[in-house]
Amino acid sequence: AVSPIARDILETASATGGGGGPGGPPGGKHVDDPYFLQPMEGVDGTGYRSSWWTQFYCILWRSWLSVLKDPMLVKVRLLQTAMVASLIGSIYFGQVLDQDGVMNINGSLFLFLTNMTFQNVFAVINVFSAELPVFLREKRSRLYRVDTYFLGKTIAELPLFIAVPFEFTSITYPMIGLKAGLSHYLTTLFIVTLVANVSTSFG
């Protein structure tokens, strides 16, 4: 605002298309005037230099590389999940279908949902808080939309958000002694995976 270039632009704008204020030249706009604001080269009507798919692809590729460059985070998440699952499985180990067993299974299912919810919500909050300054800077620069960032980031981390519920359910389900059968196990795994991914999106 106070640089010499800004003052030159202000003087030029006042001289060519000013509003005819006191002591100023009469206003007037001409389309062929070189100082008349024209669309930037390479920018479409939405204000972005690239298409939606290009933005999505670049965000997805960058997010995937960031996941691959930090394998220790993945190992810690999987180890943490295994420890919590073993702990819950040990507490509710070998339940039988009597009155006490039904109440205990109720409690174990509650821990299924709360563990998948809070573990994924707080994990995403920590990651996004670290990336927030970069995201805000690039968003203000019109490099990409919010929806492309959200989808690209979510899909890049989808394998981890599927592996964690799979590991958790595979450990706790047989230890607690929940209903036997592949279809029952897959139903539980599907629901727990949905809960994990909804929690991730919420975070």
Side-chain angles (χ1 to χ4, degrees):
V2 298
S3 66
I5 296 178
R7 287 197 294 270
D8 292 341
I9 292 175
L10 183 60
E11 291 173 1
T12 304
S14 300
T16 57
K29 293 181 179 178
H30 306 283
V31 176
D32 55 352
D33 194 316
Y35 297 107
F36 187 77
L37 290 178
Q38 300 289 342
M40 292 177 61
E41 183 180 354
V43 178
D44 59 12
T46 61
Y48 297 97
R49 291 185 179 273
S50 57
S51 65
W52 190 94
W53 286 107
T54 303
Q55 297 174 30
F56 172 72
Y57 173 77
C58 293
I59 291 294
L60 178 62
W61 180 246
R62 187 176 72 174
S63 301
W64 178 246
L65 288 180
S66 68
V67 171
L68 295 179
K69 287 179 180 178
D70 198 2
M72 183 56 66
L73 178 63
V74 176
K75 294 177 182 177
V76 168
R77 287 287 304 278
L78 294 177
L79 179 61
Q80 176 188 12
T81 301
M83 292 174 63
V84 173
S86 301
L87 178 62
I88 294 176
S90 301
I91 294 173
Y92 293 98
F93 185 78
Q95 297 299 317
V96 293
L97 286 179
D98 55 14
Q99 187 63 38
D100 292 335
V102 169
M103 296 298 293
N104 291 335
I105 290 173
N106 261 344
S108 66
L109 294 180
F110 174 76
L111 287 178
F112 263 65
L113 300 181
T114 54
N115 181 69
M116 283 295 101
T117 300
F118 292 112
Q119 179 181 355
N120 288 285
V121 166
F122 289 120
V124 172
I125 288 175
N126 289 333
V127 172
F128 185 70
S129 298
E131 294 186 359
L132 187 58
V134 175
F135 167 74
L136 291 177
R137 183 175 68 247
E138 294 177 343
K139 175 66 175 65
R140 292 189 188 114
S141 300
R142 311 288 288 176
L143 292 180
Y144 48 76
R145 299 168 174 83
V146 177
D147 55 347
T148 55
Y149 175 82
F150 174 80
L151 290 174
K153 191 74 176 166
T154 302
I155 294 175
E157 298 184 356
L158 190 61
L160 180 61
F161 296 142
I162 293 177
V164 167
F166 174 77
E167 180 186 15
F168 182 83
T169 307
S170 299
I171 294 175
T172 53
Y173 198 93
M175 288 184 69
I176 296 173
L178 299 177
K179 193 169 184 179
L182 181 61
S183 61
H184 303 301
Y185 165 77
L186 292 178
T187 302
T188 305
L189 178 61
F190 178 69
I191 294 174
V192 172
T193 304
L194 282 182
V195 170
N197 283 273
V198 168
S199 303
T200 301
S201 301
F202 176 75

